[in-house]
Amino acid sequence: MEERLLEIKDLHVEYVTDEARVFAVNGLDLTVNRGETVGLVGETGAGKTTTALSVMRLLPDLVGRITRGSIILDGIDITRATEADMRLIRGEAVSMIFQDPMTSLNPVMTIGEQIAEVLHLHEKYDTKEEVEHRVDEILRLVGLPPERKGEYPHQFSGGMKQRVVIAIALACEPKLLLADEPTTALDVTIQAQVLQMVRELKEKLNTAMLLITHDLGVVAQTCDRVGIMYAGEIVELGTAEQIFQKDERHHPYTVGLFGSIPDLTRKTRRLSPIEGLMPDPTDLPPGCRFHTRCPHRMPVCEVESPRPSYNGGHLIRCHIWDDRRCSQ
């Protein structure tokens, strides 16, 4: 039986300012098992990064807040942990690779010092020599020569900076790695190298991963399960095979996402993008959040939020596939 490492239940997250209240995450349910890679896919503004920041408890002070729900990480309820507890949990139990390596590193510290800082906070090394030896090991692990540990971030290329960020995230061998679009700022060739390296390190260390991305190609190569996120909700969740299977039933939003990318098996003059825009998170529509853009909308979609339906572990939150309606 698979052992759950991360379990998010009914998570609601808001950003509150003097001007508005932003409903960023709205009743999200998600699990990640030990050693598993789960992909989180959706348009910009869907709430993917907010979900990861909630797990890390790094929401902006005084603005971002978890209003409801629970986040259980390895038996610990993150929503109830103190800041002192979180300083010990971050890095050792869960780490995050942020989207932009350029802004994730301290420009006035050498990369060796930045990796050593994580080790000093979480690991018990008796001597400075032991720390230096561990820094050398981690740099080799991500394909960087230890001789460069005395250099500063500006002396590295974008791909190398991302390797350094990954080295810092994996320094204490965390149980869960949150990767927020780790290859967005890189060119295609370096993207492939970084993803291959992350996969190898994940298998070597048996680290679970929550991968946030827009790239369905990356999802196909990397993920065991995939969650499709829209307006702060998971609208479809299943194995990679279930999500990518053309003859499977799917949420209309998932169909729209696949229609927005080229299909090498078909000759077509134009792609089929999803019409309209993501709803305003300060004024979400009633009923199904996707109904304003859905080509299959029904009157019930405008007033009643769809409940999830299951088919062999494949979840779809849509009135079209509601078991009650299908049986009528």
Side-chain angles (χ1 to χ4, degrees), residues 248-264:
E248 283 278 341
R249 61 182 192 173
H250 293 291
H251 191 281
Y253 181 58
T254 307
V255 175
L257 289 179
F258 278 97
S260 301
I261 58 176
D263 184 347
L264 298 180

Side-chain angles (χ1 to χ4, degrees), residues 17-184:
T17 67
D18 293 337
E19 289 78 24
R21 174 174 295 186
V22 176
F23 301 96
V25 178
N26 306 290
L28 183 136
D29 295 301
L30 185 67
T31 61
V32 180
N33 299 315
R34 293 185 187 275
E36 181 184 40
T37 298
V38 176
L40 209 52
V41 181
E43 293 171 276
T44 299
K48 306 183 300 298
T49 298
T50 295
T51 300
L53 291 176
S54 299
V55 175
M56 294 289 289
R57 278 276 300 278
L58 289 176
L59 293 169
D61 291 338
L62 306 178
V63 177
R65 63 188 186 190
I66 298 171
T67 58
R68 200 164 82 203
S70 62
I71 303 172
I72 309 297
L73 175 63
D74 200 23
I76 300 171
D77 190 343
I78 296 295
T79 62
R80 299 178 181 275
T82 65
E83 185 55 34
D85 293 334
M86 289 307 304
R87 280 195 289 270
L88 297 176
I89 291 169
R90 296 186 197 110
E92 189 165 358
V94 57
S95 287
M96 187 166 177
I97 303 172
F98 294 94
Q99 187 168 344
D100 186 3
M102 315 297 179
T103 58
S104 300
L105 298 171
N106 190 327
V108 298
M109 291 177 65
T110 67
I111 65 165
E113 290 172 340
Q114 295 186 57
I115 297 172
E117 183 179 35
V118 180
L119 298 173
H120 283 304
L121 284 171
H122 296 286
E123 300 291 328
K124 297 178 181 178
Y125 290 99
D126 296 326
T127 65
K128 183 179 179 181
E129 288 72 23
E130 289 178 333
V131 173
E132 291 297 316
H133 178 68
R134 178 59 178 159
V135 170
D136 292 348
E137 282 184 340
I138 295 166
L139 287 173
R140 290 192 193 97
L141 200 64
V142 297
L144 291 175
E147 296 77 23
R148 299 196 64 180
K149 66 184 177 182
E151 298 181 13
Y152 292 86
H154 73 271
Q155 296 175 274
F156 292 82
S157 67
M160 285 186 165
K161 283 191 184 80
Q162 193 62 289
R163 288 173 183 265
V164 174
V165 170
I166 293 170
I168 294 171
L170 294 175
C172 296
E173 300 186 6
K175 299 170 184 176
L176 175 64
L177 182 64
L178 308 175
D180 185 7
E181 303 194 36
T183 61
T184 295

